[in-house]
Amino acid sequence: MTNTTKKFIQWLMSLTVLLRCFVIALLFHVAILLVIGSIKIAGAIPEIVAAFGDAPPPTPLEEEPDPMAAYRDVDYQAPGVSGPQAPVEYKVAIAEAPKSATDSQVAEVIGVMSDSVTAVARLQGTAGALTAPTFAGGGDNKIGIVGIATAGSGHWTGRLGPARAINAAKHGASARTEAAVMAALRWFKANQNSDGSWAAGANRDALTALAVLCFLGRGETTESKEFGDAVSRGIQFLVASIDSNGVVPARGSYMYTQGAVTLALSEAYGMTQAKAIRDPLERSIKAILAAQKVNKMGAWRYTMTAPNADTSVSAWLIMSLKSAKLAGIDVPEDSFKLASNYLWTVYDDDGGFGYTAPSRRVNMTGAGVLCQQFLGQSTDPRIKKALDYLKQQKVDWDETAGAHVLYGWYYVTQAMFQGGGSYWEYWNKQIRDAVVNKQAPDGHWASPTKSKEDSNGPVYTTALACLILEVYYRYMPIHQEMERNALSAATAPETK
């Protein structure tokens, strides 16, 4: 017996007979009440059984396949790196990344967003100065979830969180492509200038726009835990690059730069609806539309007052206008019709697009096809003929010759993705592994062996390669967009 029991008995025996009887009776009744109470409680709890009429309960369904399974348990190694650890140089490049963004490979590769990241804040501020996001409601300060509350923003949801992983798996990405994109973004973060730009020299504005497009292409906005500061400073630099007339004066109002900067700001505005972006974006759009009318050709070339046009420059400006339209900026339909008509003037009957006249050039065919797809011409038989021509091309990093190989692959990849089916299956098998295998250990890319693109610097080549690997979720396929629009029209309530 324990000491406690001995002491209790000794205490009980020290009492008078009458008190001992009282204590024993009290303990006896307490024990009875405990037993009766437990029986009643057990009897009062009903057995919960689902009722399905006369039919037996259904067999539990198997769990649906995890669309993100392909991106879990990733042990990515950059090309040329052996062993379980990343190279020292790479570690230095990402040393400043928050622990929460680097301690899980699943979080890195899939990018599943927390509630706070899902509810992307609408930035508040004035042109040229993006301030910290402010959550508010109503009026000009209205905020919302990307893809739900803002005009045109549904076009960007495929880049975000779980949707990105689903689209990546659906369209043929791999764990290596996603890890390569993350490595590239970390390289950009580590190599950003103090003023928010990237690179230096006359092309700095355009190169900064390309870098920002890479972040936005993966759904990394100013609210990104790891990249938010880099994105915010990059956008601030681009906002400040547009003058009061809507022109990007860098390199003498070079229209390549105008197109790249406007495209980046269009996507940034579409994903954030930040007031600080809208005003300079609208000014830039007006300047582009004015330039389109100058040469009477419905397209653009190197300067705002150029008397002629070409496919390459026009492609950047067409995509910037289209993205601005999707983001909720007013762009007249006539502008798109004029641009589409111009592209047909450089179409070759053998199936392809030329630079300033009809011919079949791989780079220009990729750009021409993509633009016509976004301009509503994807079902035109001429587009199929051009896609057939692109399907004859091969991706060979070491042997493909040309001045702008990566530039051409950037457009061909998007055109074939939009073409879908056998076009995309053929092209993706080649481009995906070719690009991933040539990434440097620190996350950047040099140009293909026989291309001359290295003269533009590593920001340029890295941006193009990164954007190629983001094709799986950057834009929704045109046929899906058409199906969604048709469904919306069919289910819309009738108006009287």
Side-chain angles (χ1 to χ4, degrees):
M1 297 178 71
T2 64
N3 291 333
T4 302
T5 303
K6 290 181 179 180
K7 290 181 179 180
F8 174 76
I9 293 175
Q10 291 176 356
W11 171 78
L12 186 64
M13 295 304 295
S14 66
L15 300 176
T16 62
V17 174
L18 182 60
L19 285 176
R20 282 201 300 271
C21 291
F22 175 79
V23 171
I24 293 171
L26 180 62
L27 293 173
F28 178 76
H29 282 86
V30 168
I32 292 176
L33 288 174
L34 289 173
V35 172
I36 294 175
S38 64
I39 293 174
K40 287 185 176 182
I41 291 173
I45 300 175
E47 181 180 0
I48 301 175
V49 179
F52 297 90
D54 297 330
T59 303
L61 296 175
E62 295 182 1
E63 290 187 3
E64 291 189 3
D66 181 0
M68 293 169 279
Y71 304 100
R72 301 189 188 280
D73 300 324
V74 178
D75 184 15
Y76 174 72
Q77 291 292 322
V81 180
S82 61
Q85 300 296 323
V88 174
E89 294 84 353
Y90 183 70
K91 286 185 175 180
V92 172
I94 64 173
E96 296 179 359
K99 183 177 185 301
S100 61
T102 58
D103 59 4
S104 168
Q105 289 180 321
V106 173
E108 288 180 358
V109 177
I110 304 175
V112 178
M113 300 181 299
S114 65
D115 292 342
S116 62
V117 179
T118 303
V120 179
R122 305 307 180 197
L123 299 177
Q124 308 299 317
T126 57
L130 299 180
T131 64
T134 302
F135 289 91
D140 293 336
N141 291 326
K142 184 177 181 180
I143 63 171
I145 306 300
V146 165
I148 297 176
T150 60
S153 55
H155 300 280
W156 324 107
T157 54
R159 309 172 175 196
L160 304 173
R164 178 177 63 246
I166 292 170
N167 286 327
K170 178 179 180 181
H171 298 303
S174 68
R176 293 185 70 211
T177 63
E178 279 294 85
V181 168
M182 284 296 294
L185 297 186
R186 286 176 177 150
W187 182 86
F188 280 124
K189 178 182 176 181
N191 289 278
Q192 187 175 24
N193 297 328
S194 59
D195 63 357
S197 68
W198 276 270
N203 292 325
R204 185 174 57 158
D205 300 70
L207 294 175
T208 298
L210 290 179
V212 169
L213 283 170
C214 290
F215 287 107
L216 298 176
R218 195 183 180 275
E220 305 291 348
T221 69
T222 54
E223 290 299 293
S224 168
K225 289 184 178 180
E226 184 172 358
F227 304 115
D229 179 66
V231 176
S232 180
R233 293 193 296 122
I235 292 175
Q236 287 181 37
F237 180 86
L238 295 179
V239 164
S241 72
I242 298 177
D243 68 17
S244 60
N245 295 316
V247 175
V248 181
R251 286 199 63 182
S253 303
Y254 196 45
M255 293 304 283
Y256 272 117
T257 299
Q258 187 83 25
V261 170
T262 306
L263 178 58
L265 290 182
S266 293
E267 292 197 8
Y269 181 68
M271 296 175 71
T272 67
Q273 296 292 290
K275 293 191 300 181
I277 300 174
R278 183 175 184 116
D279 180 62
L281 175 58
E282 287 184 324
R283 294 200 309 272
S284 180
I285 294 298
K286 289 180 181 179
I288 292 171
L289 293 175
Q292 185 183 27
K293 299 177 181 178
V294 170
N295 58 31
K296 310 299 182 183
M297 301 181 71
W300 302 263
R301 205 165 191 193
Y302 297 137
T303 67
M304 288 284 181
T305 57
N308 48 14
D310 71 62
T311 303
S312 184
V313 171
S314 296
W316 284 99
L317 296 162
I318 290 170
M319 294 303 293
S320 67
L321 291 177
K322 189 65 179 180
S323 291
K325 181 82 171 182
L326 296 177
I329 303 297
D330 182 30
V331 181
E333 287 300 318
D334 285 348
S335 174
F336 298 122
K337 293 178 181 178
L338 289 171
S340 179
N341 290 339
Y342 167 76
L343 290 176
W344 288 132
T345 68
V346 295
Y347 177 82
D348 188 272
D349 290 338
D350 288 336
F353 290 86
Y355 182 52
T356 58
S359 64
R360 290 206 307 178
R361 298 175 60 169
V362 175
N363 293 7
M364 296 303 96
T365 298
V369 168
L370 179 65
C371 288
Q372 291 288 40
Q373 288 168 329
F374 273 91
L375 293 173
Q377 305 296 317
S378 60
T379 59
D380 191 294
R382 291 171 288 186
I383 295 301
K384 181 183 183 303
K385 200 170 184 178
L387 286 169
D388 288 339
Y389 166 63
L390 293 178
K391 196 174 178 181
Q392 300 171 21
Q393 312 308 313
K394 296 185 182 300
V395 178
D396 190 325
W397 193 278
D398 295 318
E399 295 299 327
T400 303
H404 307 287
V405 175
L406 264 180
Y407 179 77
W409 288 347
Y410 164 75
Y411 275 119
V412 174
T413 298
Q414 294 182 83
M416 297 293 263
F417 176 75
Q418 294 297 336
S422 62
Y423 298 116
W424 179 237
E425 183 179 1
Y426 168 81
W427 187 257
N428 185 48
K429 286 180 179 178
Q430 301 183 71
I431 195 68
R432 180 184 60 197
D433 294 338
V435 174
V436 169
N437 289 339
K438 294 298 182 177
Q439 187 178 30
D442 68 351
H444 89 281
W445 278 271
S447 68
T449 306
K450 295 187 178 181
S451 179
K452 300 177 182 178
E453 289 162 303
D454 274 334
S455 61
N456 295 315
V459 172
Y460 176 80
T461 50
T462 301
L464 290 179
C466 183
L467 290 168
I468 286 172
L469 295 181
E470 291 176 349
V471 69
Y472 307 99
Y473 40 75
R474 188 177 171 212
Y475 293 122
M476 180 182 293
I478 295 295
H479 66 89
Q480 290 186 22
E481 182 75 10
M482 294 171 65
E483 292 169 1
R484 187 177 72 170
N485 291 341
L487 179 62
S488 299
T491 57
E494 295 183 4
T495 56
K496 296 182 179 180

